[in-house]
Amino acid sequence: MGDIASPRLNASPLGALARIWGGELPTFDSERDLQEVVSTLVQGLWNRLADHQSLRDPFYLTRFEVLPTRPALRHLAVIRAQELHGFIDGLFGSEEEMQLPQKAHDAVQGLSDVYSMFSGAADFLEDESKPAAQQELEDLLRNFQKLTIAADELINKAAQSCKRARGQRLDTMSAKPFRRGLWSGQAEAASHMPEHDDGHEPELIESALSQQVTRLGVSVSIQIYSDGNGKWILEVVDAENTSHVWDDPFESDGDALAEAMRALEEETLEFWGAAAERPMN
């Protein structure tokens, strides 16, 4: 999900796959094995995760039942810390620092705080010399649940901010790059971060006219959202999960939808891939 949200132009599913194997793609015994892995990664994982860039389909961390016991809580804390670290690894890729939109910058800083809490709790729970009463464990479980919700919100905030920045630079950029080392648990105090007035950033609201259009099993996503100034931005995510953002805003969300449907009908090769030459449903 971090790779998908990343403002890096070279982010790709194969790049993510290579990093799993230490920076280079693994060697496969056959082309069939390679195609199976790529198909599973791209169609079975990457494309489904990319759908969560929509305001109407936000991303959520893994949920599972957890009992208020010391081992179970430590297991949950370790998983949450790994998930958050993985998101940042994907966001940064091989970069040590990155210029982020201000909202994404703030969200990543917030994720650093949540990561530190989960990581610290995991260390505490692993140390049997530090006792914890049953009521304390139950309270800790409730706090973990709240932190998980906060992490969900921060990840989606970062993803949406980066997505808008990739499209039209609608978000104000941070005054300085965010360094990977700043996030990794060695974070500087928040007071060291540049001051910023959130009032300069538009608050985007998605139109109820946003929708998916499907042609013979191939789906294209039409996303329409307010620019915060009374006009509407049109984005179409094509069959290959590539984002197309119109340069000029529209006077109404209805106008934006009409333009999207025109483009899908008249510029089929641009949006439909293999389904381009087939009639609209």
Side-chain angles (χ1 to χ4, degrees):
M1 191 63 199
D3 267 288
I4 291 167
S6 179
R8 293 181 294 110
L9 296 180
N10 63 346
S12 71
L14 291 183
L17 179 63
R19 286 205 307 280
I20 294 173
W21 271 272
E24 295 184 3
L25 286 173
T27 300
F28 293 92
D29 292 335
S30 68
E31 183 176 347
R32 180 179 177 180
D33 289 345
L34 171 62
Q35 290 301 322
E36 183 176 357
V37 170
V38 171
S39 175
T40 300
L41 176 68
V42 177
Q43 298 175 10
L45 179 60
W46 183 276
N47 288 353
R48 287 191 297 179
L49 285 174
D51 290 341
H52 294 306
Q53 294 180 100
S54 168
L55 290 169
R56 302 175 70 181
D57 187 16
F59 174 79
Y60 295 104
L61 294 171
T62 306
R63 299 301 202 270
F64 50 90
E65 184 177 1
V66 179
L67 297 176
T69 66
R70 195 173 190 122
L73 288 172
R74 182 181 180 278
H75 178 64
L76 173 60
V78 168
I79 286 178
R80 289 288 179 259
Q82 290 173 341
E83 287 173 322
L84 299 184
H85 206 289
F87 178 78
I88 296 301
D89 276 348
L91 195 71
F92 278 79
S94 61
E95 304 294 328
E96 288 303 318
E97 66 177 28
M98 184 180 300
Q99 194 78 28
L100 294 171
Q102 185 64 46
K103 285 188 176 181
H105 186 284
D106 295 342
V108 169
Q109 180 62 53
L111 287 171
S112 172
D113 297 336
V114 176
Y115 168 82
S116 295
M117 293 177 193
F118 278 120
S119 181
D123 291 341
F124 169 81
L125 292 165
E126 186 178 26
D127 188 350
E128 296 290 346
S129 68
K130 297 177 180 178
Q134 183 59 36
Q135 185 59 52
E136 292 176 324
L137 294 176
E138 293 174 2
D139 291 342
L140 184 59
L141 176 56
R142 283 190 288 272
N143 287 334
F144 280 0
Q145 292 167 340
K146 293 177 181 178
L147 284 173
T148 296
I149 294 172
D152 289 338
E153 293 174 351
L154 290 166
I155 287 173
N156 285 299
K157 180 178 178 181
Q160 287 295 321
S161 181
C162 288
K163 174 184 172 182
R164 293 192 294 266
R166 291 195 305 271
Q168 286 191 319
R169 295 286 174 186
L170 294 174
D171 276 6
T172 303
M173 299 301 286
S174 169
K176 69 177 183 179
F178 199 104
R179 298 197 310 277
R180 183 197 291 266
L182 183 64
W183 186 88
S184 64
Q186 311 294 325
E188 300 171 6
S191 60
H192 293 174
M193 303 303 294
E195 294 294 329
H196 176 73
D197 179 5
D198 279 337
H200 292 299
E201 297 186 44
E203 190 65 32
L204 304 191
I205 300 173
E206 187 167 15
S207 166
L209 297 180
S210 295
Q211 58 188 272
Q212 280 198 336
V213 178
T214 301
R215 169 188 287 181
L216 297 177
V218 178
S219 293
V220 169
S221 176
I222 300 172
Q223 298 178 20
I224 303 168
Y225 37 91
S226 162
D227 67 355
N229 295 309
K231 295 190 177 183
W232 296 87
I233 296 160
L234 171 62
E235 176 180 14
V236 174
V237 181
D238 67 22
E240 304 298 327
N241 277 303
T242 299
S243 172
H244 305 260
V245 180
W246 270 245
D247 291 334
D248 298 321
F250 295 83
E251 293 297 327
S252 72
D253 54 350
D255 290 342
L257 177 61
E259 169 59 18
M261 299 305 292
R262 181 208 63 78
L264 293 179
E265 177 68 31
E266 299 178 8
E267 303 171 29
T268 54
L269 287 174
E270 185 75 14
F271 300 101
W272 290 102
E277 301 303 330
R278 302 171 189 175
M280 290 283 286
N281 286 347

